[in-house]
Amino acid sequence: MRCFEHPDVILCPGGPMLLRGQHAVEDADGLPHETTRPVTAVCRCDKSASYPWCDGTHKSLPPRLRPA
Amino acid sequence: MRPPRLPDARGPLTEELLAALRAGTDEFLGVLATAPTATGEDAALALWVLHELHYRGFAEVDDRFEWDPQLIRVRTLLERDLEARLRARFTRPEGLSFVDDVFGWIDDHDGVSLARHVHRDADRDQVLDLLRARSLYHLKESDPASWLVPRLGVRAKAALMELQYDEYGDGDPNRLHHHLFALGMAACGLEPAYDAHYDAVPPEALEQSNALSMVGLQRRLRGAALGHLAAFEATSSVPSRRMAQGLERLGFPDELVGYYTEHVEADAVHEQLAVRTVCGAMLAEEPELEDDLWFGAFTCLDLEDRFARAMLDRWGVSEVAA
């Protein structure tokens, strides 16, 4: 019986997309990036220096430039 | 794992306590009598030693003293004083929701940043001094939060374990975070053991470690512990990038740079998990703990700011931008 919500994807307001489970994310150049941890944070502001993974850069953007 | 040796005393209480621990007879009434008058780094070091009995113990100390009733009484007196001082500085933010607003509140209240100094200006000796002072916590990174696990509701417990599993290397000991810090220290020629660096540890670092252990060990303070975790993770990813770049600028070894680059990515995940899934779950299960979440978050920022100012002060550096 599932009593609790436990989504595979969580969209963080103003921040990254959390992905649970093993997966590969293909970046804009077509290169796959495999996960190495149980949850990853995928960049949604396009400014991360660790793209496609989040590095917290969204926090330094003005609110209007952060992801919805 | 070699247990650490005891540190040197820093005042009357630690003189009494360390002598009694070394003597090995379970007679601590003298320590108990001295404890209420202890202040400053003497009190901080005594509490740190008593907390360590719950982590790794000491080479010279009988492991049974971990649960000696007189020592627990001394610990309680020192923790009561520490908690009172921390609460006296804290004001609960008005009209804010922890999950929705804590990131913005942290941006507004984050203090002096040592990472900014390391990024652009620090010299090699200052970085080594910082690593020694940080070793007291970084060599047991995440361990204080593990005390919490059996004290949480089902949702918060699962959420905390999801985060802690990654802190502990996802099952791979080679990726366990406090082990990565030890490898980084060793690569710089520093002994990766905190008893090698007691002299370099300012009282502000003792107090950081003590506050974490106190909120971890006291079930009553589980809200403060998770609030502290949230603020700690939320002030790690971006500063870790600055640390890594500063260390590269100064030519520090890859092992140490790697410890910080791991934290850039890991803590970009962990800050979201800590706030949204861990603290969010706690609030759903125990909403009355929201004040303590804020108290814990405040304590994290406040003690880091005090630590940063103490380090800059001893390096003779005028303040860096917040």
Side-chain angles (χ1 to χ4, degrees):
Chain A
M1 189 176 85
R2 292 185 68 82
C3 305
F4 305 111
E5 295 290 331
H6 190 62
D8 296 325
V9 180
I10 299 173
L11 299 175
C12 303
M17 171 171 66
L18 301 183
L19 284 178
R20 286 193 166 109
Q22 191 169 3
H23 49 263
V25 172
E26 187 176 290
D27 68 20
D29 299 323
L31 293 173
H33 298 260
E34 294 274 348
T35 58
T36 57
R37 50 186 96 248
V39 186
T40 58
V42 180
C43 172
R44 293 202 299 147
C45 74
D46 291 338
K47 300 288 188 288
S48 173
S50 302
Y51 201 82
W53 311 123
C54 172
D55 69 350
T57 298
H58 58 272
K59 290 194 279 189
S60 60
L61 299 176
R64 66 187 168 79
L65 294 181
R66 294 180 197 173
Chain B
M1 189 171 73
R2 172 181 72 86
R5 65 173 176 85
L6 287 165
D8 293 334
R10 296 195 187 189
L13 176 59
T14 39
E15 272 175 28
E16 187 106 37
L17 172 65
L18 299 173
L21 289 172
R22 286 193 178 99
T25 57
D26 55 353
E27 170 51 67
F28 299 104
L29 289 175
V31 184
L32 197 48
T34 312
T37 59
T39 55
E41 64 178 339
D42 187 31
L45 183 64
L47 185 52
W48 185 83
V49 167
L50 292 170
H51 282 151
E52 278 305 312
L53 297 177
H54 298 287
Y55 293 97
R56 298 176 191 179
F58 295 95
E60 311 97 310
V61 178
D62 189 330
D63 282 341
R64 286 175 299 182
F65 290 164
E66 178 186 358
W67 294 107
D68 180 276
Q70 290 167 358
L71 291 180
I72 296 290
R73 178 69 185 156
V74 174
R75 197 190 101 193
T76 304
L77 291 172
L78 295 170
E79 286 183 343
R80 195 177 292 169
D81 183 56
L82 171 60
E83 184 183 350
R85 276 185 287 116
L86 296 174
R87 286 200 186 272
R89 297 177 202 150
F90 166 64
T91 308
R92 162 78 155 90
E94 298 262 349
L96 298 184
S97 137
F98 191 85
V99 171
D100 295 334
D101 300 321
V102 74
F103 283 116
W105 179 83
I106 287 169
D107 279 349
D108 294 340
H109 291 80
D110 205 4
V112 171
S113 168
L114 288 173
R116 281 184 191 273
H117 179 64
V118 170
H119 188 199
R120 288 192 291 259
D121 300 317
D123 63 29
R124 192 176 172 82
D125 286 343
Q126 289 170 352
V127 170
L128 291 171
D129 194 35
L130 177 61
L131 295 173
R132 290 188 198 101
R134 288 271 196 226
S135 68
L136 207 66
Y137 170 68
H138 282 16
L139 290 173
K140 61 170 184 274
E141 182 180 342
S142 303
D143 287 347
S146 293
W147 301 121
L148 292 167
V149 176
R151 293 144 186 200
L152 302 177
V154 169
R155 290 179 58 189
K157 183 180 290 184
L160 178 61
M161 285 308 299
E162 188 171 51
L163 192 161
Q164 289 290 86
Y165 184 64
D166 202 30
E167 291 283 346
Y168 286 130
D170 308 308
D172 180 354
N174 298 295
R175 294 178 55 206
L176 192 143
H177 282 184
H178 69 63
H179 174 66
L180 293 179
F181 190 73
L183 292 179
M185 287 185 82
C188 302
L190 297 173
E191 191 181 337
Y194 39 55
D195 60 2
H197 310 293
Y198 288 136
D199 292 346
V201 176
E204 290 80 3
L206 291 168
E207 200 136 284
Q208 281 184 303
S209 177
N210 291 347
L212 262 168
S213 296
M214 174 177 74
V215 297
L217 285 166
Q218 292 207 33
R219 191 183 70 83
R220 175 178 65 83
L221 296 173
R222 62 198 179 283
L226 289 190
H228 189 293
L229 175 73
F232 192 90
E233 299 290 350
T235 51
S236 175
S237 186
V238 172
S240 290
R241 173 80 74 200
R242 293 195 179 105
M243 285 294 298
Q245 290 174 342
L247 295 169
E248 282 176 337
R249 172 179 67 80
L250 291 164
F252 274 91
D254 292 346
E255 291 88 340
L256 187 65
V257 175
Y259 169 82
Y260 288 98
T261 52
E262 159 63 12
H263 282 75
V264 173
E265 259 176 44
D267 291 346
V269 181
H270 295 176
E271 66 181 0
Q272 300 295 341
L273 292 177
V275 171
R276 295 178 201 288
T277 65
V278 182
C279 292
M282 172 176 267
L283 283 171
E285 292 171 327
E286 302 185 275
E288 68 280 9
L289 295 180
E290 181 156 3
D291 283 1
D292 270 1
L293 287 178
W294 285 110
F295 170 55
F298 166 82
T299 294
C300 177
L301 300 191
D302 177 61
L303 293 179
E304 175 59 20
D305 182 62
R306 286 164 189 269
F307 171 73
R309 288 175 194 277
M311 297 305 286
L312 293 174
D313 192 45
R314 83 179 187 192
W315 299 333
V317 175
S318 54
E319 211 165 284
V320 291

